[in-house]
Amino acid sequence: MSYIVDSHWVKDQIERLGENLVLADCRFVLGQSESGRNAYAESHLPGAIYVDLEKDLSAPVGEHGGRHPLPDPQLLAGRLGQLGIRSSSTVVAYDDQGGAMASRLWWVLHYLGHDKVSVLNGGFAQWVKDGYETTKVIPDPTPRTYVPQIREGLLLHAEDVKARLHRPGTILVDSREPKRYLGLEEPIDKAAGHIPGAVNLFWKEVLTTQGLWKNEEDLKGHFAQLPSDREIVVYCGSGITACPNVLALKSAGFADVKLYAGSWSDWISYSENPIATGSE
């Protein structure tokens, strides 16, 4: 199953799979916590459930863990089951934020051992542009039992990243916009800069100027500076916009890609952790 699917494929699967297909509306605007849910209430894909970035896919903020801590896997599995997702479901996630929020659900499900999950190319806007039906009807999903098969190797914590600093076999990828990576500005977190040794690959560069995902060959070109035989560790500000980079790297054929879920906001919560500024 492809990581990226188009609206025509989704339309066909709605008719073919019925309740075995789960459409997940992941629209969410950081700093405007109700905007995504309000957009969902106004119009969404037929049968789609709403998956809230902060209420469903993040744990409460603590001293460490970053601005969007990853919940305990068993709690994640329980919440997904309540939303009507089971281990055998085919899941298609979509948003209207370039795939950033949908990619978080994509990554979470992969982490829990789920393979049949994709992101809708172009999101809700592309679905509408292609002329397909939307609805205001909010479904009442039947609770399922979600049995996770956790892939521990996909997730890193601060101590894991610190142990890998300047390790020849590991490449750190910072997914934030260049000004934040360079330390020129920091509008969200309490310290500016990046993890020492990280290279900057802004996540939005995996998209075309039309807001669609680049194809496999273009993604390979985009990531050409990264050796394909290395361990790639991806982070961002809080573990959200790193996920589209993880998805794009996997689509480009990189095998060993890990997420530092706590990301920069977690890294700087440890006063002893080193900080770099400028280019690497």
Side-chain angles (χ1 to χ4, degrees):
M1 183 171 173
S2 175
Y3 295 144
I4 306 295
V5 295
D6 62 28
S7 55
H8 313 300
W9 184 90
V10 174
K11 173 62 174 175
D12 180 64
Q13 297 307 306
I14 290 175
E15 297 170 352
R16 180 183 295 181
L17 294 179
E19 67 174 16
N20 289 324
L21 175 69
V22 176
L23 302 177
D25 189 316
C26 302
R27 284 177 287 178
F28 192 95
V29 178
L30 295 172
Q32 302 176 39
S33 59
E34 293 302 313
S35 63
R37 189 177 295 275
N38 290 339
Y40 168 77
E42 181 63 29
S43 184
H44 52 266
L45 272 64
I49 58 170
Y50 184 70
V51 181
D52 191 298
L53 170 68
E54 294 184 341
K55 295 177 181 178
D56 298 322
L57 301 180
S58 303
V61 176
E63 180 183 2
H64 302 297
R67 285 182 280 107
H68 292 101
L70 194 68
D72 175 85
Q74 296 299 330
L75 291 177
L76 269 174
R79 182 56 184 146
L80 293 171
Q82 290 172 7
L83 290 169
I85 302 174
R86 52 188 168 192
S87 306
S88 60
S89 298
T90 296
V91 181
V92 176
Y94 70 88
D95 59 30
D96 244 352
Q97 286 72 40
M101 311 304 161
S103 294
R104 168 78 164 205
L105 178 58
W106 173 88
W107 186 87
V108 162
L109 284 168
H110 269 274
Y111 171 60
L112 296 179
H114 206 114
D115 288 319
K116 293 190 293 185
V117 54
S118 301
V119 170
L120 174 60
N121 201 1
F124 181 77
Q126 188 63 41
W127 177 267
V128 173
K129 184 178 179 180
D130 288 335
Y132 290 121
E133 175 189 2
T134 61
T135 183
K136 288 187 176 183
V137 177
I138 296 177
D140 184 16
T142 301
R144 308 290 187 181
T145 299
Y146 190 97
V147 181
Q149 302 289 329
I150 301 167
R151 294 166 169 154
E152 298 285 0
L154 300 184
L155 174 66
L156 294 185
H157 302 283
E159 62 270 21
D160 304 315
V161 176
K162 194 169 184 179
R164 286 165 165 78
L165 290 183
H166 308 297
R167 180 191 290 180
T170 298
I171 297 175
L172 288 173
V173 172
D174 187 313
S175 304
R176 297 171 300 161
E177 57 188 327
K179 286 184 178 180
R180 294 181 68 193
Y181 165 81
L182 294 169
L184 298 176
E185 64 177 43
E186 182 45 68
I188 305 174
D189 293 310
K190 63 183 182 181
H194 60 266
I195 300 175
V199 298
N200 184 215
L201 288 168
F202 185 32
W203 75 271
K204 286 189 177 180
E205 292 174 354
V206 304
L207 304 175
T208 68
T209 54
Q210 291 77 37
L212 300 175
W213 291 79
K214 292 179 177 177
N215 62 36
E216 180 179 336
E217 287 307 310
D218 287 342
L219 287 174
K220 287 180 178 179
H222 174 63
F223 294 122
Q225 65 176 289
L226 304 179
S228 59
D229 60 346
R230 304 285 182 88
E231 175 191 57
I232 310 294
V233 178
V234 188
Y235 75 93
C236 57
S238 65
I240 307 302
T241 57
C243 293
N245 257 349
V246 173
L247 191 159
L249 282 159
K250 295 295 290 183
S251 296
F254 288 80
D256 190 3
V257 185
K258 297 179 173 66
L259 175 70
Y260 172 25
S263 288
W264 181 247
S265 54
D266 175 59
W267 183 260
I268 60 175
S269 70
Y270 298 90
S271 59
E272 70 275 14
N273 281 351
I275 292 174
T277 57
S279 59
E280 292 279 351

